[in-house]
Structures are given as structure tokens and as C-alpha cells.
Amino acid sequence: QVQLVESGGGLVQAGGSLRLSCAASGRYTMGWFRPAPGKEREFVAAISGSGGSTYYADSVKGRFTISRDNAKNTVYLQMNSLTPEDTAVYSCAARARGIGGLGSVGSYDYWGQGTQVTVSS
């Protein structure tokens, strides 16, 4: 029973920043996703259960940072240098699998409802 609740979305100008939060119970591998052409969700970033390993989509490398505080049962996505192309509903997800195949939407077992991020030009 993994419960995921996202927050932190909003409206920012291009080049600005937002920090998304996901209240998540359990020390699962966690990921952030957003809709993309051709598929329901696109992988953005993921973090291992311990927080020791992080992974990013090429489109966000160097701009986004995923982290977690297991004591607070919270996963974060720090989003910097935002562009209009980053506009999307961002969802957090959890899975029991290990670090392999982190970009696979189908490998995640639990999903939050999402939080809207809008980046103006």
C-alpha cells in the first residue's frame, strides 16, 4: 500500500525554478514522469530506495535534481532552467524493482495524481 501525493507545481517564467514534492510511504525506487508525444508518460528522473543512486532523462540532465528524505517519506524534484517544453503534469511513481529499467513506465506499480507545471516564454 504505497500512497503518493505530489505538490509544488505552479507557473514560472522560462529560466525559473520549481521544486516538486512527493509524499510517499515506503522505501521504493521512485521516479518522476510527464506526458510526452507517442506515450502516456515519459521518464524524467528516478532515485534508488536508499537515495544513493539517481538517474535522469537526457532532456533534463544538468537541470533537474531528484532527491529523497526517507525519514520524512518524501521525494523531491528540483527543476531549474525550466523551458516551455517542460510544461506538463508531473507524476511521481513507485516500484519494488531494483535500479534496472528505471525509464520503463510499465515497471512502476504505484502512481500519484500529478501536479501541474507551466512554464511561460
Side-chain angles (χ1 to χ4, degrees):
Q1 294 91 354
V2 178
Q3 300 174 355
L4 307 177
V5 181
E6 305 99 330
S7 62
L11 174 64
V12 298
Q13 294 183 337
S17 299
L18 286 172
R19 188 182 74 164
L20 307 184
S21 298
C22 179
S25 61
R27 296 180 183 177
Y28 294 90
T29 299
M30 299 293 297
W32 286 95
F33 295 80
R34 66 190 184 189
K39 50 187 175 182
E40 294 184 0
R41 294 186 176 96
E42 173 188 50
F43 170 74
V44 176
I47 189 167
S48 61
S50 68
S53 299
T54 58
Y55 308 88
Y56 300 93
D58 290 341
S59 60
V60 305
K61 286 181 180 178
R63 300 190 298 121
F64 292 7
T65 302
I66 188 171
S67 61
R68 71 190 301 161
D69 185 340
N70 285 333
K72 297 181 178 180
N73 292 319
T74 303
V75 177
Y76 304 97
L77 184 67
Q78 179 66 46
M79 310 166 69
N80 299 327
S81 301
L82 286 163
T83 72
E85 288 70 32
D86 295 316
T87 295
V89 176
Y90 285 73
S91 300
C92 66
R95 75 178 198 179
R97 293 186 184 185
I99 62 174
L102 292 172
S104 175
V105 172
S107 71
Y108 288 79
D109 305 304
Y110 309 98
W111 295 86
Q113 293 299 309
T115 185
Q116 176 70 51
V117 171
T118 303
V119 184
S120 62
S121 59

